[in-house]
Amino acid sequence: DVKVTQSSRYLVKRTGEKVFLECVQDMDHENMFWYRQDPGLGLRLIYFSYDVKMKEKGDIPEGYSVSREKKERFSLILESASTNQTSMYLCASSSPALARSSYEQYFGPGTRLTVT
Amino acid sequence: AQKVTQAQTEISVVEKEDVTLDCVYETRDTTYYLFWYKQPPSGELVFLIRRNSFDEQNEISGRYSWNFQKSTSSFNFTITASQVVDSAVYFCALSENPSNTGKLIFGQGTTLQVKP
C-alpha cells in the first residue's frame, strides 16, 4: 500500500518560531510537493522537488523554504512563522511525468498548523 | 494560462439524490490529464480518476460517473444515489504541461454535504 506520512496532524506554534514540517513517502517517487489549503482557495503549491537536492518555487513560496536531502523525505520550513501561515499543509508525491501513472499524486493526511 | 474552475462552492443534497459536480478547465495544450480527488473530513486527498485528453469516453465506477467533453472543456462528476459517506470536499485538477515535474493545477474545490 502506498504511503505518504507527515510528521504531525496538528501543530501550534508562536509567531517568530522556526517550524519544520516533515513528509516521507515510501513509493520511491521522484517528485514531491508541498501545498497549503485554505477555505475558498483550493490547494496552492508552495514548493516542489523533482529530485534529491532539486527544488523549484511554486505559486506562493514567500516565507517558506524546503529541503530534500534524501529521495523519500521532503521538508517544509517556515523560517519565522506568522499568523497568516495558519493553514492546512499537505504533502504529495508522484512518479515522473513520463511514467505509467503520470501526474497522479499521492497525498499525506495533512498538518493543521496554527500560529498564535 | 491554465486554469481549473469549480463554480459550485457548496452543494447540499439529501441521501439517495443524484448530484453532479462541475469542473471547467482552460489549457492550450493538446495533451493533458484531468483528475478528480476526494477529501473526506479526515483530511487526506484520495485519488478517484485520471483521464487523458485523447480519451473522451465517459467512465462509470459503481455510483460514480464522469463526463468528459473537450468541446466545452468540462469534466463533470456525477454521484448517483448519494450516501452520507460521500460527504467530502471534491477537487478537480489539470496536469501542467509541458512539464516533467508532474505539477497539477487544482480547482477551488466543491464541498458536498449529503444529509440523511
Side-chain angles (χ1 to χ4, degrees), chain A residues 66-107:
Chain A
V66 289
S67 172
R68 191 155 179 213
E69 297 296 319
K70 292 185 178 181
K71 191 176 186 180
E72 68 270 17
R73 187 179 298 268
F74 191 35
S75 302
L76 180 69
I77 303 154
L78 286 65
E79 298 290 342
S80 177
S82 63
T83 54
N84 63 13
Q85 292 179 310
T86 292
S87 187
M88 169 74 98
Y89 290 88
L90 292 162
C91 175
S93 71
S94 72
S95 302
L98 298 178
R100 183 178 268 275
S101 59
S102 179
Y103 289 99
E104 181 180 329
Q105 293 187 13
Y106 295 85
F107 283 83

Side-chain angles (χ1 to χ4, degrees), chain A residues 9 31 33 35 37 40-43 45 48 50 88 90 94 97 100-105 107-109, chain B residues 33 35 37 39 42-45 47 50 89 91 95-97 99-104 106-109:
Chain A
R9 290 301 303 271
N31 302 328
F33 308 83
Y35 296 91
Q37 181 181 6
L41 298 177
L43 273 68
L45 183 64
F48 65 98
Y50 50 90
M88 169 74 98
L90 292 162
S94 72
R100 183 178 268 275
S101 59
S102 179
Y103 289 99
E104 181 180 329
Q105 293 187 13
F107 283 83
Chain B
Y33 292 91
F35 296 80
Y37 282 86
Q39 185 182 38
S42 59
E44 185 172 332
L45 268 78
F47 165 81
R50 179 187 66 217
V89 182
F91 290 97
S95 60
E96 183 181 273
N97 234 11
S99 169
N100 292 324
T101 58
K103 286 172 65 177
L104 294 179
F106 285 85
Q108 303 92 320

Side-chain angles (χ1 to χ4, degrees), chain B residues 41-62:
Chain B
S42 59
E44 185 172 332
L45 268 78
V46 176
F47 165 81
L48 294 178
I49 190 171
R50 179 187 66 217
R51 302 297 285 177
N52 74 53
S53 50
F54 298 108
D55 183 1
E56 283 195 74
Q57 274 195 335
N58 291 332
E59 181 149 342
I60 298 174
S61 175

Side-chain angles (χ1 to χ4, degrees), chain A residues 40-42, chain B residues 1-9 20-27 34-36 72-77 90-94 105-110:
Chain A
L41 298 177
Chain B
Q2 294 171 297
K3 189 178 175 182
V4 175
T5 302
Q6 295 179 254
Q8 304 150 307
T9 306
T20 296
L21 309 182
D22 298 332
C23 173
V24 174
Y25 62 93
E26 295 175 30
T27 182
L34 292 162
F35 296 80
W36 276 96
T72 55
S73 297
S74 65
F75 186 42
N76 296 337
F77 173 30
Y90 291 87
F91 290 97
C92 180
L94 167 70
I105 299 160
F106 285 85
Q108 303 92 320
T110 297

